[in-house]
Amino acid sequence: MFPRIREITDAFGARLRVSIEAQPTGALVVFDRPDRTGYPRAVLDGYGAEVLCGYIIAARLALPNALPDEIVDGPFAARFSLAFEDKVAVAMVGKRGGDRFDLPAPFWDRLYAELCVIIAHARELTRRAAGRVH
């Protein structure tokens, strides 16, 4: 069942790959842009994925206005912000100053739906991992 990989393509051919990978303590959600050479990957744990899911909807509802940043702590710490540069995007940056990973607005609806499924899988993998530890 894992890893689980899905690709989202927008109307212009841009691609976003979202995968969930099992790990000893639960699951990680990995974001890639296979259509962009040398683009960084972004990795979140289940907590970060849940916050991102909510932030995507908040960003969609806030447009055209700004939205305060959200910060996720922990081993996969990140800052989410609504960016208005050349394209509207949710920007993810590792809290410790990692590379910026943009999620352009055309991906948001499908990514939100995909994250709802991924979060359920991540919770179950984390529950199973906790059962193995005890």
Side-chain angles (χ1 to χ4, degrees), residues 15-99:
R15 294 174 21 216
L16 171 66
R17 181 179 299 140
V18 184
S19 59
I20 183 169
E21 299 176 0
Q23 66 165 2
T25 60
L28 295 178
V29 181
V30 181
F31 300 85
D32 290 295
R33 288 295 306 269
D35 59 327
R36 302 190 60 189
T37 304
Y39 203 79
R41 288 177 20 144
V43 180
L44 297 173
D45 58 12
Y47 166 52
E50 285 192 65
V51 174
L52 175 61
C53 192
Y55 195 81
I56 287 169
I57 289 301
R60 195 172 189 286
L61 295 172
L63 289 177
N65 301 309
L67 182 66
D69 292 356
E70 280 294 331
I71 297 173
V72 174
D73 284 330
F76 297 93
R79 174 184 297 270
F80 306 121
S81 59
L82 183 55
F84 290 97
E85 285 104 34
D86 53 334
K87 295 180 183 177
V88 174
V90 168
M92 293 191 289
V93 177
K95 190 175 174 191
R96 292 167 186 87
D99 291 324

